[in-house]
Amino acid sequence: MIPLLGISTQALFGQLLLGLINGAFYAMLSLGLAVIFGMLNIVNFAHGALYMVGAFAAWFLLTYFHIGYWPALILAPLGVALFGMVIERTMLKRLAGLDHIYGLLLTFGLALIIQGVFQNQFGASGQPYPLPEQLKGGTNLGFMYLPTYRAWAVVFSLCVCLFTWFMIEKTRLGSVLRAATENPELTRAFGINVPRLITLTYGFGVGLAALAGVLAAPIYQVRPLMGADFIIVVFAVVVIGGMGSILGAIGAGFMLGIVEGLTKVFYPQAANIVVFVIMVAVLLVKPTGLFGKKL
Amino acid sequence: MSEPLLNVSGLQAWYGESHVLHGVDFEVRPGEVVTLLGRNGAGKTTTLKCIMGMIGKRQGSIRYEGEETIALSSDKIARRGVALCPEERGVFASLTVLENLLLPPKIADGGLSLDEIYDLFPNLKERSTSMGGKLSGGEQQMLAIARILRTGARLLMLDEPTEGLAPIIIKQIGHAIQKLKPRGFTLLLVEQNFRWASQLADRFYVMEHGRVIDAFAAAELPDNMDKLHAYLGV
Ligand SMILES: Nc1ncnc2c1ncn2[C@@H]1O[C@H](COP(=O)(O)OP(=O)(O)O)[C@@H](O)[C@H]1O
Ligand SMILES: [Mg+2]
């Protein structure tokens, strides 16, 4: 063990890995928020609650149906996406054209209701979710111990983010999505069913949150408030990255996770606020966020 | 005389509380080029948007291929074969030129192929990988027109396609439009530049204060120049 500035490399890389994992979750969550904001013009405050529902869905599947991690990785996001699409069709849709504040209030209220129901049912304590058999254990890299599941979580979420970016920027479906984000009336007048696209986009965005929830279940405990704590930081990440910017959301997510991890090593007292300090600094210098284009 | 492809009658429209169309009547027959003339604010753009289903509050009757479309959403109207090239052009800045061209889904056979479109507007081929937001005004207008030629829509509505463009580009657009007619397209133009429009159009309607107030065939134009100048205030 070689000490660096009085800090062991073990501790340094350990925190770096934790930061990277948090960053992976920030990235997936802020990506979904960015996609939803771009298309629906809604700041989705229910995002953290739906991330939690994703984790609980995996837990339900295991506890009551003996359906394991791998199927849950597909089934839970699908279920939450369906739930999200029902919310969009029955509620969010009616807010189209109104001020941001209405969408914000509605989704905030939904988050409180969803979290309240789960808290009522499960209390504040967490339910453990076991590591999948194939991803137990770890590797000693010499300078640190790398748990297999954590490496998987980072790589998998990076792949999901890059896949989403590719879909949006480089495919036909993505070009339709970008067009509808830019000018929904005209896109619709070209024969594209924009309302359906909006519903699917919301479903996709919250599905991504649920996927992050399943991924998080074996690392953190499955708790009713697991999303509420997390989502505040994620909103700061979105602001830093630039509202509605895809690459910005992904880049800022990973970057801030790492910065947070490093702060824990070098100045632990500031670890909980460093993201917000950066947010304020970015807003002062570039109000549209690091990668944001327009407001 | 053939059945009209488009028949607008008693069309009224509102922006919020403001009543801007007060009963518009006209028709367009298959294969015709028809031009709506009128001063700024007469209601020409609003009329095209109503036909496209893009104005929220509209009343009266719009029949396309004999079927009522007044209550249909704009995507459904587009799928029946109506396409709009809007006044503000509406090129998507976050899409490349090629993505813009390929955006409207094909709805029927009979549209132009990409190669034919590039023959009409060679500039677009050179710029196919540029982002829409980086185009000059002339290129944007070409792209906005080109975009609706591929889909197989039969009724093409062009809102002031020459507005704000250099004479050489206006000429190029005129040539392109001339080539569309023999391909079986029907065109509904809105134009301020009626000298330019008179080289293309079979018939003209004049709009004022949200109504159609007069109509001419192309052949009657020379005899009605004074009247037209008075209508348009030129
Ligand atoms: N978005 C809008 N909101 C309110 N009024 C509008 C809007 N667009 C046009 N108008 C009004 O509707 C009338 C008709 O406008 P328009 O159809 O654009 O005329 P034209 O295309 O013949 O110049 C005008 O009085 C204009 O001021
Ligand atoms: Mg106009």
Side-chain angles (χ1 to χ4, degrees), chain A residues 49-69 71-81 83 118 122 129 210-211 213-214 217 222-223 226:
Chain A
L50 293 167
Y51 158 83
M52 175 271 290
V53 174
F56 261 103
W59 183 82
F60 285 136
L61 285 171
L62 187 67
T63 311
Y64 299 115
F65 304 99
H66 304 288
I67 295 175
Y69 177 83
L73 210 50
I74 296 167
L75 294 177
L78 275 182
V80 171
F83 178 58
F118 276 81
F122 299 95
Y129 188 92
L211 184 61
V214 180
V222 178
R223 286 182 302 117
M226 64 190 282

Side-chain angles (χ1 to χ4, degrees), chain A residues 142-181:
Chain A
F143 56 88
M144 68 174 290
Y145 179 76
L146 180 67
T148 309
Y149 186 81
R150 303 196 165 202
W152 152 257
V154 171
V155 172
F156 180 69
S157 88
L158 190 63
C159 291
V160 169
C161 287
L162 291 180
F163 175 76
T164 306
W165 171 82
F166 179 83
M167 287 298 288
I168 293 175
E169 294 300 329
K170 300 292 170 200
T171 67
R172 152 92 194 153
L173 178 66
S175 72
V176 174
L177 214 72
R178 276 176 282 138
T181 299

Side-chain angles (χ1 to χ4, degrees), chain A residues 129-140:
Chain A
Y129 188 92
L131 283 174
E133 209 52 55
Q134 298 86 339
L135 298 176
K136 280 186 174 154
T139 322
N140 196 337

